[in-house]
Amino acid sequence: MTGEPLPYIMRNDWLVTTILFLCLLGVLFIFSKGRKFLLKQTNGILVNKERSNLFDEATSSDTQYAFFLVSHACIMLVFCLYSFFAKSSPVLFDRFSHFELLVFSAGCVVALFLLKWSAYSFVNWIFFEEARNRLWIQFYFNIFIWMGLLLLPIVLLVVYFNLSLHFSLYLFVGVYLFVKIIMFWRCFNNFFNYFYGTFHLILYLCTLEILPDVLLWKIIILANNFFIQQ
């Protein structure tokens, strides 16, 4: 008798478990050995500086921590996409290998991160002074790092405790909105703290922050629908 194949479960995937285990070990190591670095990153988010001095004071260990945490944030976003489509579009996992879907999700996240970084650098180089541009890029990296740390427990709950799709979406949207509110506040203080600044700020963030997210999401949905119908 031919048996019915078991549904795909992320916690039974050795590749997912290995990546998450390494990410968790790395984060725990940084919380143990790099607390001064994390405190400096937090101050970079909450304190509105007039001059940029983070890169001048950065050590080799700080650079390594920053590189790992930026990579960790990208990985967390990849698993958020991966887990969402694992539950909402299981047909994709019948037509493509899990490694291919992970690579596709990673490519989308890295492309979005580099696109935003390049767009911010280019637009700020045209309209604003260099000191404020450096402050904003540093803040962008800091808030991206902490977004990855906030997403880590959500991803672990989704993978190993079978958190429902709707509740995980609520948690992800909550983290996303929290990050955007902090970016709204810092961007206003850094660039648009004048009378008509709010209007210019909305145009700035919608063009460089929200619109790329929406476009990427629509492209992923259209691509998934295309592959499912083939």
Side-chain angles (χ1 to χ4, degrees):
M1 296 177 59
T2 59
E4 182 178 354
L6 294 174
Y8 173 74
I9 300 177
M10 291 184 63
R11 63 176 175 268
N12 294 336
D13 192 330
W14 68 269
L15 182 61
V16 172
T17 300
T18 302
I19 295 175
L20 287 178
F21 180 73
L22 294 176
C23 287
L24 183 60
L25 282 182
V27 170
L28 292 177
F29 176 81
I30 292 177
F31 270 99
S32 174
K33 301 296 184 179
R35 280 174 288 190
K36 291 183 179 179
F37 169 78
L38 292 175
L39 181 61
K40 185 166 59 177
Q41 301 299 101
T42 306
N43 290 333
I45 294 174
L46 301 178
V47 179
N48 189 25
K49 298 180 180 179
E50 294 295 331
R51 293 184 177 273
S52 171
N53 59 0
L54 177 62
F55 293 148
D56 296 335
E57 299 176 356
T59 63
S60 59
S61 59
D62 290 344
T63 304
Q64 294 172 1
Y65 294 155
F67 178 78
F68 173 81
L69 290 175
V70 169
S71 303
H72 168 266
C74 291
I75 292 173
M76 291 303 103
L77 288 174
V78 167
F79 277 114
C80 286
L81 280 177
Y82 188 73
S83 62
F84 175 80
F85 290 110
K87 294 184 177 181
S88 63
S89 302
V91 179
L92 285 172
F93 291 83
D94 297 331
R95 302 199 173 188
F96 300 94
S97 67
H98 307 308
F99 180 76
E100 290 175 342
L101 293 174
L102 274 176
V103 171
F104 175 74
S105 301
C108 292
V109 171
V110 172
L112 179 64
F113 175 75
L114 295 178
L115 175 63
K116 286 185 178 182
W117 183 13
S118 303
Y120 275 128
S121 301
F122 178 72
V123 172
N124 295 345
W125 173 71
I126 295 176
F127 293 103
F128 305 107
E129 59 186 16
E130 182 180 358
R132 295 187 181 275
N133 297 343
R134 292 186 64 187
L135 282 173
W136 178 252
I137 294 299
Q138 290 171 19
F139 167 77
Y140 180 69
F141 274 89
N142 293 341
I143 196 67
F144 190 76
I145 285 172
W146 274 104
M147 182 178 67
L149 294 176
L150 292 175
L151 288 177
L152 177 59
I154 299 176
V155 172
L156 293 177
L157 287 174
V158 170
V159 174
Y160 295 106
F161 294 92
N162 199 24
L163 192 66
S164 66
L165 177 62
H166 294 292
F167 192 64
S168 60
L169 278 177
Y170 292 149
L171 292 177
F172 176 79
V173 171
V175 172
Y176 181 83
L177 292 178
F178 176 72
V179 169
K180 298 306 176 186
I181 290 172
I182 296 180
M183 292 186 69
F184 185 92
W185 168 68
R186 282 300 303 272
C187 189
F188 179 80
N189 290 332
N190 197 35
F191 295 131
F192 303 103
N193 53 352
Y194 49 87
F195 183 70
Y196 296 105
T198 303
F199 176 72
H200 295 157
L201 172 63
I202 293 173
L203 292 177
Y204 180 83
L205 287 181
C206 287
T207 304
L208 298 180
E209 186 65 27
I210 299 177
L211 185 60
D213 294 347
V214 175
L215 287 178
L216 178 64
W217 181 252
K218 294 298 293 184
I219 290 172
I220 293 174
I221 294 296
L222 291 175
N224 289 340
N225 292 334
F226 174 78
F227 290 132
I228 289 175
Q229 293 173 2
Q230 292 301 313

